[in-house]
Amino acid sequence: MNNAVLTAVAWPYANGPRHIGHVSGFGVPSDVFARYRRMAGDRVLMVSGTDEHGTPIQVQADAEGLTPRQLADKYNDVITDDLRGLGLSYDLFTRTTTSNHYDVVQHMFSSLHRNGYIVPKTQLAAISPSTGRTLPDRYIEGTCPICGYDGARGDQCDNCGNQLDPADLKNPRSKINGETPSFVETEHFFLDLPAFSEALGSWLSSRTDWRPNVLRFSANLAENLKPRAITRDLEWGVPVPLDGWSDNPMKKIYVWFDAVIGYLSASVEWARRGPDPDAWKQWWTDPAAQAFYFMGKDNITFHSVMWPAIMLGHNGQGDRGGVPGTYGTLDLPSEVVSSEYLTMLGSKFSTSRGTVIYVGDFLREFGPDALRYHIAVAGPENQDVDFTWDEFVRRVNNELANEWGNLVNRSVSMAHKNVGAIPQPKAPQQADAELLAYSAAGFDTVGGLLARNRFKQAAGEAMRVVTAANRYLSDQEPWKRKDDPDRRDTILHTALQVVQDANTLLTPFLPHAAQQVHEALGNTGVWAAQPEKTTVEDLGDGLAYPILTGDYAAEQAHWGSTPIEVGRPLAKPTPIFTKLAPELGETGPEWAPIGK
């Protein structure tokens, strides 16, 4: 295929460890997609990082007795460890507190300002009476003035989808401490979103292949655009690059604006760290490139409306026209891939309520692939889904251990015991040919679904190949063929070929297990590459920080059935998946909040 495919992954906020609800939205889906597109031969650039600015960072830093930078450092380290452990194959996972990010954000701001899409405006700002700090819109909640929903945020109402300002809310209150905010007049810069209504509406109307929930929500937002503040009275953030503002310690670019620009800044940083500093352009300024953005549904508005508007303004493509800015004519998203919520006990994960399962705890107990698989087959792809330990145990035991793990173990074990290597097939029969044809056809079926981000269906189709192979072995009974070694070897060769095919089909979902199966089949070398955590120096100020990166060239162009090598030695296999105790489904582990 050899297409340039940008995989832009939502930036986790660095004010605490991430839970499994977070990675079910942005993490696992993006990696399944990226790994498939690499295997299909595309040039993938997968980028993200920790989002580290704004009042929530200051609030948490105060609570922990740290500076904002110290807090960001602390949780950036935790989050990069968790995402590496989960096997998310980032080309670059960076952070927003880098000189490169500051530079890109300020250039984008300046381009929009020159083209007339950033305008000054006086507004009422919400202030915490107890601290004197500005409260971020998302940290204020109250009753929506449009639909009456009590729980609307200061930036939008999740019930009716309308954009709001904190001063619009009835009975506003701080989510930090419950106090009623005070409102004071202050001057800020606003992104003139109404100036993009025609361009956004035209672009959204052409997005016919998006998930229906994303398209409906985005179209509703685009019909009621209002100017949106992009600066705030904050101590912690990117300085405003204008005279009279840049040296003001209390005027900063609003965190939502700088975070969405992170996709571009991370791509620029990745290129600057390589041999060609302009390499990022093939994913951003080539109309033939594709760009897929992955997030949970609470971030749809920022990716289907706000970020496209910023790019249009930079490009000079809004109502006021203009000229392309520093980064040329940027490509708008090909698709915004949003998942719904993974819930617990019927409600969203909540640290304060104790209904939360952190990624690090889960990985230490169960490893990465069990979580990846559960999210893929039982996650919130199209609707909110409640996580239960019973469902998790059932999936691991019945599907991963009994179906897939058992197929690998008994196929390799019998070939090892009887031949010691991949056997030579002799006189194939119709049953053999039918299974091989079904397995080979799976690449078009599963690949087509993965290309359209239909992960549940794709995983289901891959497991149907596994089920068919298990049924084939049960029907053909190679263990009873001692007096007919030619037929036994043909059956085992067929089974091992399908194991290899199925392993390829399941690699995007189960990359760690895929490497084990690759080796169980007598292969050497890297099959499913994993990200590496390394420390780099900032490109401007010399400060060191950790990143995730990796060499994923080994995965390139692996999608398809390749003949298994006859005569390759086989060793006695070890189990790929271990069954979980049934009682775990009733109680969960000791540290888990459910069932206690």
Side-chain angles (χ1 to χ4, degrees):
M1 295 167 73
N2 199 31
N3 298 313
V5 177
L6 176 69
T7 305
V9 190
W11 292 57
Y13 205 57
N15 64 339
R18 299 299 86 184
H19 55 62
I20 65 171
H22 290 131
V23 296
S24 70
F26 75 81
V28 172
S30 62
D31 191 62
V32 170
F33 176 78
R35 286 182 182 274
Y36 162 69
R37 294 301 292 256
R38 290 192 195 100
M39 293 175 74
D42 290 321
R43 291 171 288 121
V44 172
L45 179 61
M46 180 171 164
V47 293
S48 186
T50 43
D51 181 2
E52 299 180 353
H53 291 127
T55 302
I57 294 289
Q58 289 182 312
V59 171
Q60 188 64 31
D62 289 346
E64 297 192 25
L66 302 171
T67 66
R69 176 70 192 214
Q70 287 171 335
L71 185 93
D73 287 346
K74 173 182 176 179
Y75 288 115
N76 169 271
D77 196 49
V78 171
I79 292 168
T80 51
D81 279 343
D82 288 348
L83 302 187
R84 179 190 55 79
L86 197 52
L88 304 189
S89 56
Y90 291 102
D91 292 279
L92 180 65
F93 184 89
T94 179
R95 60 195 305 179
T96 56
T97 50
T98 69
S99 59
N100 174 81
H101 180 71
Y102 277 45
D103 186 61
V104 175
V105 170
Q106 291 175 333
H107 274 97
M108 290 292 288
F109 182 100
S110 298
S111 297
L112 286 159
H113 188 259
R114 280 195 304 271
N115 284 339
Y117 296 107
I118 290 179
V119 295
K121 183 180 176 183
T122 299
Q123 71 162 171
L124 289 175
I127 304 295
S128 166
S130 60
T131 67
R133 287 177 175 162
T134 300
L135 286 168
D137 294 350
R138 286 198 163 199
Y139 271 54
I140 303 168
E141 64 181 7
T143 302
C144 176
I146 298 171
C147 71
Y149 173 65
D150 186 25
R153 300 195 309 264
D155 59 348
Q156 72 182 48
C157 175
D158 285 340
N159 186 57
C160 66
N162 282 289
Q163 181 184 340
L164 301 172
D165 286 321
D168 296 335
L169 294 173
K170 298 177 181 178
N171 303 316
R173 56 194 176 273
S174 167
K175 293 177 69 174
I176 299 172
N177 56 19
E179 65 186 359
T180 300
S182 57
F183 291 90
V184 298
E185 280 198 350
T186 184
E187 184 180 35
H188 282 293
F189 283 105
F190 281 68
L191 179 63
D192 189 8
L193 285 171
F196 303 107
S197 56
E198 183 177 346
L200 280 173
S202 175
W203 172 67
L204 283 170
S205 67
S206 69
R207 307 291 95 191
T208 56
D209 57 345
W210 287 16
R211 290 178 179 176
N213 61 319
V214 179
L215 201 53
R216 283 194 302 270
F217 187 78
S218 304
N220 289 338
L221 290 173
E223 291 177 359
N224 187 33
L225 295 174
K226 297 188 295 183
R228 179 124 183 181
I230 59 172
T231 61
R232 272 291 185 263
D233 294 307
L234 297 169
E235 303 167 35
W236 178 244
V238 180
V240 181
L242 293 173
D243 290 343
W245 287 70
S246 59
D247 56 355
N248 187 332
M250 285 302 296
K251 295 288 186 183
K252 296 291 189 292
I253 291 176
Y254 206 177
V255 63
W256 75 260
F257 182 84
D258 97 73
V260 293
I261 295 173
Y263 302 114
L264 176 59
S265 73
S267 302
V268 171
E269 181 184 345
W270 168 83
R272 290 179 67 190
R273 294 192 180 281
D276 179 7
D278 290 327
W280 62 270
K281 292 180 180 178
Q282 61 186 294
W283 285 275
W284 285 92
T285 62
D286 182 351
Q290 297 175 296
F292 296 83
Y293 291 74
F294 292 82
M295 80 287 310
K297 67 178 177 181
D298 53 341
N299 273 322
I300 293 175
T301 181
F302 297 104
H303 295 83
S304 66
V305 175
M306 305 302 176
W307 178 224
I310 292 169
M311 288 193 280
L312 288 167
H314 172 273
N315 296 349
Q317 295 173 328
D319 291 352
R320 294 193 177 92
V323 296
T326 306
Y327 302 104
T329 302
L330 299 172
D331 300 331
L332 270 61
S334 303
E335 185 172 354
V336 173
V337 186
S338 170
S339 299
E340 301 293 295
Y341 290 135
L342 185 69
T343 60
M344 291 174 65
L345 305 177
S347 57
K348 290 174 64 176
F349 281 90
S350 170
T351 302
S352 61
R353 292 195 302 268
T355 52
V356 65
I357 302 172
Y358 290 116
V359 173
D361 292 332
F362 206 104
L363 293 180
R364 282 186 286 273
E365 183 91 11
F366 304 108
D369 281 358
L371 177 57
R372 291 176 63 106
Y373 183 76
H374 186 82
I375 289 172
V377 300
E381 184 174 311
N382 296 307
Q383 62 184 13
D384 291 353
V385 173
D386 216 43
F387 176 86
T388 67
W389 287 109
D390 183 65
E391 176 74 358
F392 172 71
V393 169
R394 187 184 71 80
R395 294 280 185 182
V396 169
N397 289 352
N398 294 354
E399 296 171 25
L400 293 182
N402 288 352
E403 285 286 320
W404 179 222
N406 184 49
L407 174 64
V408 174
N409 188 71
R410 64 176 177 163
S411 299
V412 176
S413 292
M414 283 187 284
H416 163 70
K417 178 181 178 181
N418 290 284
V419 184
I422 305 290
Q424 174 74 48
K426 312 262 181 44
Q429 297 180 5
Q430 183 177 349
D432 313 326
E434 287 177 350
L435 178 63
L436 291 173
Y438 182 69
S439 177
F443 290 97
D444 283 343
T445 303
V446 175
L449 291 166
L450 288 175
R452 301 196 309 276
N453 295 295
R454 306 298 193 263
F455 305 115
K456 285 188 177 185
Q457 288 178 266
E461 291 295 332
M463 288 302 292
R464 284 188 179 89
V465 173
V466 173
T467 299
N470 275 314
R471 186 167 55 245
Y472 166 85
L473 281 176
S474 296
D475 291 344
Q476 298 300 317
E477 300 180 319
W479 51 88
K480 293 184 177 180
R481 307 280 184 163
K482 293 180 180 179
D483 296 333
D484 189 357
D486 286 354
R487 181 61 192 149
R488 178 201 65 202
D489 289 357
T490 300
I491 295 167
L492 292 176
H493 181 276
T494 301
L496 291 170
Q497 177 65 60
V498 178
V499 166
Q500 180 167 280
D501 288 353
N503 193 47
T504 303
L505 294 171
L506 288 166
T507 294
F509 306 99
L510 307 169
H512 303 83
Q515 182 67 38
Q516 291 178 263
V517 175
H518 176 71
E519 294 167 8
L521 290 171
N523 297 291
T524 58
V526 175
W527 171 259
Q530 297 300 326
E532 298 177 357
K533 183 177 179 180
T534 187
T535 300
V536 296
E537 284 194 358
D538 189 282
L539 294 169
D541 61 21
L543 291 175
Y545 58 92
I547 63 170
L548 294 180
T549 188
D551 179 2
Y552 309 110
E555 295 184 352
Q556 206 72 27
H558 275 335
W559 195 256
S561 180
T562 56
I564 199 162
E565 181 187 341
V566 172
R568 185 191 304 141
L570 295 174
K572 184 178 180 180
T574 56
I576 305 298
F577 291 99
T578 302
K579 293 184 70 172
L580 303 176
E583 56 268 23
L584 179 68
E586 301 173 4
T587 64
E590 286 296 322
W591 46 264
I594 306 179
K596 300 293 185 291

